[in-house]
Amino acid sequence: MTMMTPPPLDQQEDEEMLVPHQEFTEGPQPMEVISAEPATAPENQQVEDPPTFKYRWTIENFSRMNIKKLYSDTFFVGGYKWRVLIFPKGNNVDHLSIYLDVADSTTLPYGWSRFAQFSLAVVNQIHGKYTIRKDTQHQFNGRESDWGFTSFMSLSELYDPSRGYLVNDTCVIEAEVSVRKVVDYWSYDSKKETGYVGLKNQGATCYMNSLLQTLYHIPYFRKAVYHMPTTENDMPSGSIPLALQSLFYKLQYSDNSVATKELTKSFGWDTYDSFMQHDVQELNRVLCEKLEDKMKGTVVEGTIQHLFEGHHMNYIECINVDYKSTRKESFYDLQLDVKGCRDVYASFDKYVEVERLEGDNKYQAENHGLQDAKKGVLFIDFPPVLQLQLKRFEYDFMRDTMVKINDRYEFPLQLDLDRDNGRYLSPDADRRVRNLYTLHSVLVHSGGVHGGHYYAFIRPTLSDQWFKFDDERVTKEDAKRALEEQYGGEEELPQTNPGFNNTPFKFTKYSNAYMLVYIRESDKEKIMCNVDEKDIAEHLRVRLKKEQEEKEHKKKEKAEAHLYTIIKVARNEDLAEQMGREIFFDLVDHDKVRSFRIQKQLPFNHFKEEVAKELGIPVQFQRFWLWAKRQNHTYRPNRPLLPQEEAQSVGQLREVSNKAHNAELKLFLEVELGPDLRPLPPPLKTKEDILLFFKLYDPEKEAMRFVGRLFVKALGKPTEILPKLIEMAEFPANEEIELYEEIKFEPNVMCEHIDKRISFKSSQLEDGDIICYQKALTSASRDQFRYPDVPSFLEYVRNRQVVHFRSLEKPKEDDFSLELSKLFSYDDVVERVACRLGLDDPTKIRLTSHNCYSQQPKPQPIKYRGVDHLSDMLVHYNQTSDILYYEILDIPLPELQGLKTLKVAFHHATKEEVAIHSIRLPKNSTVADVINDLKNKVELSRPDAELRLLEVFYHKIYKIFPPGEKIENINDQYWTLRAEEIPEEEKNLGPHDRLIHVYHFTRDPNQNQMASIQVQNFGEPFFLVIKEGEALADVKIRIQKKLQVPDEEFSKWKIAFISLGRPEYLQDSDVVSNRFQRRDIYGAWEQYLGLEHSDTAPKRAYTTNQNRHTFEKPVKIYN
């Protein structure tokens, strides 16, 4: 038996690995693409050393075998049966295919699974060092009982006798297998295994989780958070200090992973923010600023500065005169360059590098004029906790995009910032402070610039033991995993055949350190202090322990739920309390009535005794009614319980009332009260008796309330109960009243007038029906009220909607709110908005709907009368919003919609300036109309100058717009529209002259060899006339004159003919016109004269897209 060192679990493969009996394509695929089981993840814990076995298989007469596949003998590893499977002529490929197979997979019990790391090798029998060996790992199961390499080695290489893999037609194959027992991901207990718990991910909050774990494990910081003053009246969702205290307390004392929703709510974040991946450094800065502000005036004021604040000195020192300018600045973290630096020390060297200000870049020294000077930064002091942000993300001006720097970058376990006799320190620095730091945590980003995953390696006690905090999961890790494996850079896979000079396969490691936290050795004892319960406010301990008890109670209730039924009991008091305040339709909100949790086997009569005890109503005075959901979606009391039903158990009764599994039992408790308000036995109910409920409407107050219930006779008439209704309403005895039946409210309100002269039965009234009534109004008095009768009031209530209006310029801030009706027309809505804004012309209001998912305005505004009702403005897919955005236009919207607005950049012929003009013309206008309009707005070099309009995109000219082209379809949202004067030389082209495109370009020297032919365009493209037979030397003179480039700089420029991105550099004697086709071709912008030089134009700051579509948002904490 031979022991082997297993490869790292996260190693990627350069060959595709597939089960052999599937269709597949050629070409290498990374292992992670096709891994099938969760247990293959590196986080699964190995719980014992793996048994390892090496099996050697000698196959004779190899080339004469005429079979598709061949199995080896069975061998045992880790108590399991294994065998090797080969396809001598390839598994549908021209390579030897070789796999490890579970020999007895067909007889194993359902759900079997086992994990193995293994290597497969074809032995070179002449030179052993050229043996081809490949390693991998797999979670074998019923679906994937074999695993390996479809393209292990080429058949031509295998069958060539001179190569040494077939000797005397014998092939030798080796398999080395390590079986590992793996703890299931779902059963893994972080607290039990490590003593720590993780944080739940809300969607894309791993970046926040890694930062919070890092801050929590700085005990001094945690203690300061605990000592921030909070009270028992605070709510965590509205108080950042309390939410953070609560989170830290749970991290310290909970046995399970902790949720962060309270904290993000305290930030003022909505759900969308939690699904946006932000930047750790930005969140760290914003959170610390918020905490610093919240700590002011408290016992922990200044903690953030004390822990994280350092100072450096920016200086400029003249070389030839005695003048020096210095400025002290503070920092909470340092941003260190990764690109071009091999480690942290190289980054610090670069940070303090001295820059020479000389030549054209001299320094304007006060009282000394322009002077040669040196400029730099030195550190006055470093903080006890040093946060280093590694600049893994940079803006690439060549590519006009953000890129991630995955270069190898080393960082030490101990960082000495006093090295080289304090070369980083300023003369003012206190040299008595020893700036020796030890590494506390490594925050890692795995992925690319557009997303990925964050986690942290932390040493909570600064011992040798590292822990990986990956959202909910915490695992023990060794130092190599936390340090070296997070350096980044490239990793080289072992050469498959070193003897034949094949290029080793390298792949970029996309997981690498992104932020480092160091703690100063001299402050270690103070920073890594003890934090226990006495540091936690009493009210916080009580609150959180109560929360925990409630959680346990709910857990217990959930576990026992199948033994109990929830009975919800509605009474007259509930109807009176809720009607007109919380609800208007039907009778009651069952979630807000008294509920009882009753064992299912308990007889219902026992439940009545419970009600008597709780509500003080003796059993003999109780009568319970079942509720029923009607076909029109209303929910009403349907019938009283029968005596035989009351004799049943609670569980049986629930099944009778509601077939839904585990549904609640909803009852109405009828209690009759005498004149002295004492309960009476319920009256006898026959088929002729109907139980009706009554609501009273007051049009003056626009109010509705529940006034009671009555039994009426089916054949009786409303006129018979009018005196009782008048009494219930406390109206004068002779008051005329009108009656309406509330029939339904979904999807529309149905409320019909009741004829008081016909019987209740003729009006189709039955048990549980609702009658709404009001004072009768004359036609004259009706006009006094907005909603004069019950139907109009219920229609209003059903459709009323409070809408929050925001200015489109400030889309995060509510400006004002209006109560509107969902049935309002477009005109109704804009009229009310205009009235609220004091605007005379409502047509100058333009509205934009709200995107419920992004919590931002939709990209396109609502067209004038483009929707029928307010409800259409508020709907977004299957969600309804209550937010609208408004703009005040300078012209009416109908007029604006008939116009097209174009932003045109005018390039002056003789001045170095570009002016942006907004051209607004009717949609049926032409490019000629745009040019004529522009002529009235710009300064021309000559009165008779002619203009043209170009389409420019990424520094290339794609189109010259014909004067007659309609502007309606021109898009200026993504392309730049450029207007310029037509040069005189272009107006008089000879028959052999050519008008060519000329673009500036550069090449990125850091691009790999495959990309070396690619060019990056920049600057302003232009046209140039070239004459037949004209040499490059002459063309260069005209280009230099046109661009006004100094001789010294222009001498460094290279000129190339570029076609489809491939440059062909030209000599001064080359005839330029020979390179360009004489006929016009589609895609002329891909064939141009390129001017290669460095881009010396001022770099613009990277800004997010200013269009309405914004895919990234800055981190904001609103509270």
Side-chain angles (χ1 to χ4, degrees), residues 10 12 30 32 392 404-408 446-448 485 487-493 505-512 1008:
D10 59 1
Q12 290 181 310
E32 61 193 34
R392 287 283 181 192
K404 184 178 178 192
I405 311 297
N406 289 302
D407 300 357
R408 181 178 175 85
S446 175
E485 291 188 19
Y487 289 165
E490 289 187 329
E491 188 162 310
E492 186 175 310
L493 288 178
F505 180 81
K506 293 182 179 181
F507 65 90
T508 302
K509 294 170 73 174
Y510 291 98
S511 294
N512 36 54
N1008 60 40

Side-chain angles (χ1 to χ4, degrees), residues 48 85 190 257 473 575 662 717 763 770 830 844 1044:
E48 57 183 53
L85 165 62
S190 293
S257 57
R473 193 170 172 77
L575 277 58
N662 276 345
K717 297 177 181 177
S763 295
I770 301 169
V830 293
K844 289 187 178 179
Q1044 298 179 330

Side-chain angles (χ1 to χ4, degrees), residues 642-672:
L642 303 172
Q644 59 266 38
E645 289 175 327
E646 292 194 356
Q648 294 178 337
S649 70
V650 167
Q652 289 171 316
L653 188 58
R654 185 202 59 75
E655 288 169 13
V656 169
S657 71
N658 196 325
K659 302 297 182 191
H661 181 63
N662 276 345
E664 300 157 336
L665 177 57
K666 292 171 183 168
L667 300 173
F668 175 70
L669 174 56
E670 175 201 343
V671 180
E672 292 296 324

Side-chain angles (χ1 to χ4, degrees), residues 557-571:
E557 277 192 352
K558 192 174 179 182
E560 297 174 349
H562 64 289
L563 303 174
Y564 290 84
T565 289
I566 302 296
I567 302 179
K568 294 190 171 179
V569 178
R571 299 184 293 154

Side-chain angles (χ1 to χ4, degrees), residues 11-25:
Q11 179 175 312
Q12 290 181 310
E13 300 297 331
D14 63 324
E15 298 286 343
E16 75 177 341
M17 290 166 288
L18 295 165
V19 293
H21 308 300
Q22 294 182 339
E23 294 296 323
F24 44 80
T25 55

